[in-house]
Amino acid sequence: MNGIPEILQTRGKNYLLVFENIEKGYQGNRKDTSLVQGNDSTREPAQAPVEINPAVDAVNDGANPEIDAKLVGSGDETIGGRKFGTFNGVIRPTILTILGVMMYLREGWVVGNAGLGGAVLIILMCYFITGATALSLSSITTNIRLGAGGVFTLVTQSLGLEVGGSIGIPFYLAQGMSVAMYIYGFMEGWVHIFPNHSPLLVVIAVFAVVFALSYISTTLAFRVQIFVMIGVILALGSIFLGLYSAPVLQNPTFFGSFENANYWILFAVFFPASTGIMVGASMSGNLTDPRRSIPAGTMTAWGLSLLIYLVLAIWYSLVATPEELRGNLTIAIERAYWGPAVLIGILSSCFTAALSSFIASPRTLQSLGKQKILPFPEFFGKLHNDEPRNAILVTGGMVLIILLLGDLNAIAQIVTVFFLMTYFIVNFILLIEKKLNLISFRPTFRIPILVPFLGSLSCLTAIVVVSPLLGLTCVLLSITIYIYLDRRALEAPYETLNSGLFISIANWAARKIALDARANHLRSWKPDILYPVERTTQLQGYYRLLLSLARPQGSVQAIGVKTKKHSRLLRGLDNVIRDIRMDGIYASSAIIESPDFLSSLRTAVSVMKSPFFEPNILFSPVSDRTQEELQGMLEIAGENQLGVVFLARHPDTGLGRGRQMNIWIREQSPDWQLSFSMANIDLPLLLALMLIKNWDIRLRLITLVDDPAEIENARRYLQNLMALARIPKGYSIVADSANFRDYIDGDAPHADLNLFGLTNKIDKKAMEELVKETESTCLFVKDSGLESVLM
């Protein structure tokens, strides 16, 4: 068949799996294309890439809707057996959620308090925030493969599971509270018709119906929305016709007196009216083509609902006085052409908004469970007949508790803050993506960077002015969730890996640092150790010391110098590096094949000047190198502004008990002045601080002077040095007048480690003699000039 692989000519599951694996192959570095090339050991591997034949286009022409959905969808597990298009899956549920309780029972109250101009301003502010978010959401969804879970999945794919969970959980709570808010609205309309009915019983009855429809089938719930939409259209028609039946048309009050509430309380109460824009995104797992349907459907619903709310604000200002609007929450029923139609609309709108939110919120919860964000992930993430029924049960319990404890206005403010937090994150994601200008960010729906910037700014401003306490509570909740998830070290599947934002931020920072010629970064200094080795055992031998010098923010980079004669000596180097990483230190390795050690080191140092973790300390044991090699290493370090640490190990004591360390400071007379850069003092003290932190080692500073009169100056210098360097208490100071050799042989206090400064001329024999004379391991250190212990 025109060169199509044999397996592509079969039907059913094989047909679907081939395309699924082709799709996954391109997304996952072409992993698992075994179904195309043959995973049987007897089958010959494919000799050429799979050719996509025009005959296969029948799949994309709707010949098999099931395959269509799988190809176009997310690649994740989908929810619900039937797939919905743009109108049924996005526009209808979104606009019916937006045109809910607030339109009938609170918009007139807002107009009565704020006046027509004030109400229009509130509506435009609400819709500016949701509009910017809808545009950002639309742009992002055209760039990623959005699976089930909607906004949670979007955040997860951009910023990782930890951030996704810290936002997804509050977003789920906001969705659940929205259900309760709409049920309260239904109750108010019902009690207006039947004042003798118990509000509590009405609430419970509506909840039971909404819960049952959501539990039985998403398809059934969406079919109910068709009839509900007819009721909403009838209500709006009756309201607008009320202009002709009204006895008197009022002169609109442009700005009201704000008698019942100030501007920002009105904003907080009304804002949930515009928050249904993410219902379509929450249904992403049930959409045939979420990448196309979510942008088109969301923006259509946003524009239509904005127009309706603005026209209704004008209508309210014309048919009633501000006093009537403030005192009568059901004024729309009385001033409509036919009041019962509005009652039907109120009940229909509130019911369908509650139903849409109840359909969406369990899917967010199911996605949270599926990605193991929540405890008992198998329970929350499980599907029954393609429906998240466990998540529906939990959501139902939460909604019922809120209904029994809350009230409409209080719930509205909480929902406002939670949604604003979610909207901020959506705008922020797009802002960062556009700012970093990643090659992977190629949305088919593009918007100016000003949109997410103003959207983020307006969300933060609204949170602060609506309720700083609620905003702080929401932020603390998200931070707590993030810390909890971060400690769990979640492993995201490849479908939900972040889009490289953090890596790109790090690259941007690295370029910024590299291009800033004026910066010396003294305050941000950390030990980034370069250790050239010829045997893996060399790295293993100083494993504990290297960890102690680098922890917690430093790094260890091993350069393996490989010769043909000793090609097997570097086996296992990667394993040691992996162990260092597991101990919490960034580590890397590279191997250079060369017969000459110094030329290999020079090449390695030159190449490694570009990474973010640019080495700043060259480390080497003295015993492993000749005097010529040590001298060459010192010169290479000087040329590249690296500090030097040469370690001469005592054959018997090794590192000893790791309890005491002597640092020998040369005499500074006649100028005993401290400065931000002190030759061969900064790096020794910085290394000592690392060992104090990681080994709890005690520090002793020793200075010998020729003139006894300088002893007091030396002691004062060392005391000031320790104070300005903020060395933890427990150190000691020794200042004496003596010959260095005589003092070493006689009165020098013993230590597990002795640290000496290096001159520009290496004397390996003298280093080894100091090891014998001090009966300890010695570190020989030379500053690079880019350290400062006083910063």
Side-chain angles (χ1 to χ4, degrees):
M1 288 182 60
N2 298 326
I4 301 175
E6 180 181 352
I7 196 168
L8 291 183
Q9 301 174 28
T10 62
R11 294 180 179 272
K13 291 184 178 179
N14 285 343
Y15 203 173
L16 175 60
L17 287 172
V18 167
F19 280 92
E20 189 176 17
N21 280 277
I22 291 173
E23 188 100 19
K24 288 182 178 179
Y26 282 104
Q27 291 295 324
N29 294 326
R30 302 196 176 188
K31 299 176 184 175
D32 192 16
T33 55
S34 58
L35 285 173
V36 176
Q37 297 185 358
N39 58 0
D40 194 307
S41 60
T42 62
R43 179 173 297 180
E44 293 183 5
Q47 300 300 317
V50 175
E51 179 182 353
I52 302 301
N53 193 283
V56 186
D57 287 346
V59 175
N60 293 324
D61 290 337
N64 191 328
E66 182 183 1
I67 297 176
D68 250 355
K70 193 71 176 178
L71 284 172
V72 180
S74 66
D76 291 340
E77 181 181 350
T78 57
I79 301 175
R82 180 182 172 184
K83 298 293 181 179
F84 300 98
T86 302
F87 180 78
N88 291 332
V90 182
I91 295 177
R92 188 173 66 201
T94 300
I95 200 165
L96 289 179
T97 302
I98 296 175
L99 301 180
V101 59
M102 296 299 175
M103 182 174 70
Y104 303 102
L105 301 179
R106 290 297 182 271
E107 186 173 5
W109 179 73
V110 170
V111 174
N113 280 280
L116 176 59
V120 168
L121 188 59
I122 289 173
I123 294 170
L124 291 178
M125 283 187 64
C126 292
Y127 269 81
F128 175 80
I129 293 174
T130 58
T133 306
L135 288 169
S136 296
L137 177 69
S138 299
S139 184
I140 296 171
T141 54
T142 61
N143 186 66
I144 64 175
R145 296 168 55 80
L146 188 62
V151 174
F152 160 70
T153 303
L154 182 149
V155 176
T156 295
Q157 289 188 4
S158 297
L159 298 177
L161 282 174
E162 294 80 7
V163 178
S166 66
I167 295 300
I169 293 175
F171 180 65
Y172 163 72
L173 294 175
Q175 287 179 315
M177 290 180 183
S178 296
V179 177
M181 182 179 69
Y182 296 129
I183 291 177
Y184 272 126
F186 184 97
M187 178 269 295
E188 289 188 11
W190 186 273
V191 170
H192 180 84
I193 306 173
F194 306 104
N196 295 328
H197 286 190
S198 168
L200 179 60
L201 292 179
V202 173
V203 163
I204 293 175
V206 177
F207 166 77
V209 174
V210 169
F211 175 81
L213 287 172
S214 302
Y215 189 83
I216 294 171
S217 170
T218 301
T219 303
L220 176 61
F222 272 36
R223 284 174 181 169
V224 171
Q225 286 184 347
I226 297 174
F227 301 100
V228 171
M229 192 168 190
I230 296 173
V232 172
I233 293 172
L234 288 174
L236 290 173
S238 180
I239 286 174
F240 294 139
L241 288 175
L243 289 173
Y244 299 100
S245 61
V248 178
L249 293 180
Q250 306 294 324
N251 291 322
T253 302
F254 195 72
F255 277 109
S257 56
F258 298 95
E259 290 195 11
N260 296 126
N262 64 36
Y263 182 88
W264 293 112
I265 291 179
L266 295 177
F267 172 86
V269 170
F270 184 78
F271 184 78
S274 61
T275 56
I277 59 167
M278 290 189 175
V279 169
S282 295
M283 297 302 300
S284 55
N286 292 78
L287 299 176
T288 302
D289 186 358
R291 185 175 290 181
R292 180 181 62 85
S293 296
I294 290 176
T298 300
M299 295 312 303
T300 300
W302 177 85
L304 284 175
S305 61
L306 171 60
L307 178 63
I308 291 171
Y309 273 116
L310 290 174
V311 173
L312 274 177
I314 298 172
W315 183 86
Y316 277 114
S317 69
L318 291 172
V319 301
T321 64
E323 292 77 13
E324 290 174 323
L325 293 173
R326 291 194 300 269
N328 186 358
L329 297 180
T330 57
I331 192 71
I333 300 172
E334 298 177 6
R335 301 300 161 89
Y337 182 79
W338 185 50
V342 180
L343 283 172
I344 294 172
I346 292 175
L347 300 181
S348 300
S349 293
C350 295
F351 181 81
T352 192
L355 185 59
S356 296
S357 296
F358 209 119
I359 292 171
S361 54
R363 279 148 180 80
T364 301
L365 183 63
Q366 189 269 342
S367 294
L368 288 166
K370 180 183 173 184
Q371 299 298 343
K372 300 181 179 180
I373 299 292
L374 302 171
F376 314 108
E378 294 81 7
F379 175 81
F380 288 107
K382 189 175 182 180
L383 297 175
H384 299 269
N385 296 326
D386 294 324
E387 296 290 342
R389 289 189 174 143
N390 289 350
I392 292 173
L393 288 172
V394 173
T395 302
M398 180 188 73
V399 171
L400 185 59
I401 292 173
I402 294 171
L403 287 170
L404 296 176
L405 299 179
D407 67 83
L408 183 58
N409 286 355
I411 292 174
Q413 289 198 45
I414 298 173
V415 169
T416 294
V417 172
F418 275 25
F419 274 122
L420 282 170
M421 192 72 181
T422 305
Y423 294 171
F424 166 76
I425 292 297
V426 172
N427 284 290
F428 180 73
I429 289 172
L430 182 62
L431 179 64
I432 296 299
E433 289 268 28
K434 292 184 76 67
K435 186 68 177 176
L436 294 175
N437 199 23
L438 303 173
I439 188 63
S440 62
F441 185 68
R442 303 185 302 277
T444 56
F445 182 79
R446 295 182 175 274
I447 59 175
I449 193 172
L450 190 62
V451 173
F453 172 75
L454 293 177
S456 302
L457 185 62
S458 59
C459 286
L460 288 178
T461 304
I463 289 174
V464 172
V465 297
V466 166
S467 177
L469 181 59
L470 277 176
L472 180 62
T473 302
C474 185
V475 170
L476 290 177
L477 175 63
S478 295
I479 292 174
T480 302
I481 295 170
Y482 178 86
I483 293 172
Y484 166 71
L485 296 177
D486 186 57
R487 290 180 176 178
R488 286 179 54 192
L490 298 170
E491 293 185 8
Y494 76 86
E495 292 93 343
T496 57
L497 290 176
N498 66 64
S499 61
L501 295 183
F502 295 139
I503 295 174
S504 299
I505 291 171
N507 288 336
W508 171 82
R511 289 195 301 269
K512 202 70 172 164
I513 292 172
L515 294 174
D516 189 357
R518 301 165 299 173
N520 52 22
H521 315 295
L522 296 178
R523 185 175 290 277
S524 60
W525 184 92
K526 56 185 176 58
D528 293 312
I529 301 170
L530 176 62
Y531 183 10
V533 299
E534 293 172 305
R535 304 181 302 278
T536 300
T537 53
Q538 292 174 315
L539 183 59
Q540 292 173 325
Y542 297 101
Y543 188 95
R544 180 169 173 254
L545 177 63
L546 291 170
L547 285 184
S548 300
L549 292 176
R551 186 176 281 131
Q553 300 297 330
S555 65
V556 176
Q557 300 170 67
I559 295 297
V561 180
K562 181 179 180 180
T563 62
K564 292 183 179 179
K565 183 179 179 181
H566 302 98
S567 60
R568 300 171 60 87
L569 296 179
L570 288 171
R571 289 185 305 173
L573 181 62
D574 288 341
N575 294 332
V576 180
I577 292 297
R578 184 165 54 250
D579 290 340
I580 295 175
R581 290 176 179 169
M582 292 179 65
D583 280 321
I585 304 298
Y586 173 81
S588 64
S589 64
I591 295 178
I592 299 177
E593 291 192 22
S594 173
D596 183 68
F597 174 80
L598 288 179
S599 62
S600 299
L601 177 61
R602 191 181 301 276
T603 300
V605 171
S606 177
V607 170
M608 297 181 72
K609 289 178 71 68
S610 58
F612 188 75
F613 290 93
E614 180 181 346
N616 53 24
I617 296 174
L618 181 58
F619 174 88
S620 179
V622 172
S623 60
D624 292 339
R625 308 266 70 93
T626 66
Q627 177 159 317
E628 290 73 18
E629 287 174 333
L630 291 172
Q631 185 66 49
M633 292 176 71
L634 186 66
E635 293 171 359
I636 292 172
E639 294 167 2
N640 293 276
Q641 291 185 297
L642 300 178
V644 175
V645 176
F646 290 154
L647 183 143
R649 188 185 185 102
H650 193 279
D652 298 328
T653 63
L655 297 175
R657 297 170 298 170
R659 298 283 186 85
Q660 184 71 54
M661 180 179 186
N662 290 341
I663 296 183
W664 296 76
I665 306 293
R666 68 177 179 84
E667 182 180 0
Q668 304 292 316
S669 61
D671 184 14
W672 296 91
Q673 296 295 321
L674 294 172
S675 66
F676 282 107
S677 181
M678 299 171 290
N680 272 3
I681 295 179
D682 291 301
L683 184 56
L685 283 178
L686 288 170
L687 295 178
L689 282 169
M690 304 302 293
L691 294 177
I692 291 172
K693 179 183 295 185
N694 295 313
W695 277 3
D696 195 25
I697 199 169
R698 292 190 298 272
L699 181 61
R700 181 188 296 119
L701 263 64
I702 303 174
T703 293
L704 301 179
V705 297
D706 295 329
D707 186 355
E710 295 290 339
I711 291 178
E712 188 57 35
N713 290 333
R715 184 175 290 111
R716 187 181 304 110
Y717 175 85
L718 296 179
Q719 288 173 342
N720 291 337
L721 174 63
M722 300 297 265
L724 292 175
R726 306 177 299 283
I727 303 296
K729 292 182 179 179
Y731 62 84
S732 59
I733 291 172
V734 174
D736 205 347
S737 176
N739 176 268
F740 176 73
R741 286 293 176 182
D742 295 339
Y743 191 79
I744 287 288
D745 291 335
D747 298 330
H750 183 267
D752 299 297
L753 283 172
N754 277 276
L755 194 152
F756 300 97
L758 270 176
T759 63
N760 291 326
K761 184 68 174 176
I762 295 294
D763 188 341
K764 182 179 179 181
K765 184 177 180 180
M767 294 179 179
E768 294 170 341
E769 287 295 324
L770 280 174
V771 172
K772 295 179 182 178
E773 292 170 357
T774 60
E775 297 180 344
S776 70
T777 294
C778 297
L779 293 174
F780 299 92
V781 179
K782 184 173 178 60
D783 286 2
S784 69
L786 299 180
E787 311 92 354
S788 178
V789 74
L790 301 185
M791 293 297 289

